[in-house]
Amino acid sequence: PEARYVIAAIDQGDGHALQRHEGHGSGQNAIDRLTKLHDMANVNDASRMKCEDAYRTDANGNPVRHRCEGTVSSIKDLEAFAVAYAAAAQHPRVGPELAQTNNSTAKRVAIHIPINELLGPDGHERCEGYRLKPVNGSVERAAQERTERAKAQQLHQATSIAAPAYDAIRSYEGGNILCILKAKRDGSGYTIDTFYPELAQT
């Protein structure tokens, strides 16, 4: 019951952590986002298949193409997601930022928290992720080709660009949860914009 309460509260917020990085954002949904730019947060099937973002629009109010880095990740268990999110919101490095009543100069604040601080020593086992295989040694090139392929498909144009290849991330042991805070539009402090597992920084 407590986990459902947390999830309901998150769902009322402005961020997209729940829609893209909870269990719904794992498995095939994660792979489709990584390789096809299908935004699992977009509940309109036709719009999602056209690679349209669930939240972002252009100056005319038209959906723009979904963007995705070379890696996608999620906490694949809903209860673990709720626990980690609630723990992060009260974390000594996050809580004070959320308690501010006005924004600092930064519009976004990135805070890296060890997974084991939020989910315990086995918390990494609740995390799942995939990453693009490099093209000519470059993940950036792989992401660029993925976008070019998606654009051609949107326009119903033939393309010789192959579908992206990917690998499953074997383990998040020693990794972090990246918690990104976003300044509220009214200037009254910060809110959690997104929240997801990441490999340990080297």
Side-chain angles (χ1 to χ4, degrees):
E2 290 84 357
R4 289 197 294 270
Y5 177 83
V6 172
I7 293 300
I10 297 170
D11 197 35
Q12 297 300 310
D14 294 330
H16 62 259
L18 176 64
Q19 293 83 351
R20 291 179 181 151
H21 301 291
E22 187 268 324
H24 174 67
S26 62
Q28 192 60 48
N29 280 342
I31 294 168
D32 287 347
R33 182 182 181 214
L34 180 68
T35 62
K36 301 177 183 178
L37 296 181
H38 290 177
D39 182 6
M40 76 279 286
N42 190 341
V43 297
N44 182 308
D45 290 345
S47 177
R48 184 174 64 256
M49 295 302 175
K50 290 192 290 185
C51 308
E52 293 175 346
D53 194 272
Y55 306 107
R56 297 172 55 246
T57 58
D58 61 21
N60 297 317
N62 299 312
V64 299
R65 187 177 303 110
H66 180 57
R67 294 185 303 190
C68 177
E69 301 295 334
T71 303
V72 296
S73 63
S74 65
I75 298 176
K76 56 188 177 180
D77 176 271
L78 186 144
E79 192 166 304
F81 181 91
V83 168
Y85 195 101
Q90 300 173 66
H91 191 274
R93 294 171 56 207
V94 177
E97 297 284 355
L98 296 179
Q100 289 189 55
T101 56
N102 62 293
N103 300 343
S104 68
T105 55
K107 292 186 177 180
R108 292 171 72 82
V109 178
I111 301 174
H112 307 269
I113 307 171
I115 293 170
N116 60 16
E117 290 187 17
L118 302 181
L119 287 173
D122 298 325
H124 60 277
E125 297 178 1
R126 307 292 186 100
C127 301
E128 177 183 300
Y130 303 87
R131 57 187 163 197
L132 293 176
K133 287 187 175 181
V135 172
N136 297 330
S138 170
V139 173
E140 289 76 14
R141 179 59 189 171
Q144 181 182 346
E145 289 193 0
R146 174 194 60 189
T147 299
E148 292 171 357
R149 176 182 168 86
K151 182 177 180 180
Q153 291 178 332
Q154 278 182 286
L155 299 174
H156 303 288
Q157 296 175 345
T159 177
S160 61
I161 300 174
Y166 67 91
D167 287 314
I169 293 173
R170 296 183 62 182
S171 174
Y172 278 91
E173 187 171 6
N176 300 311
I177 296 293
L178 175 57
C179 186
I180 298 181
L181 310 184
K182 179 177 69 173
K184 295 179 182 178
R185 293 180 182 177
D186 63 4
S188 62
Y190 290 95
T191 185
I192 296 177
D193 183 42
T194 192
F195 170 92
Y196 54 84
E198 62 173 5
L199 294 170
Q201 296 177 317
T202 56

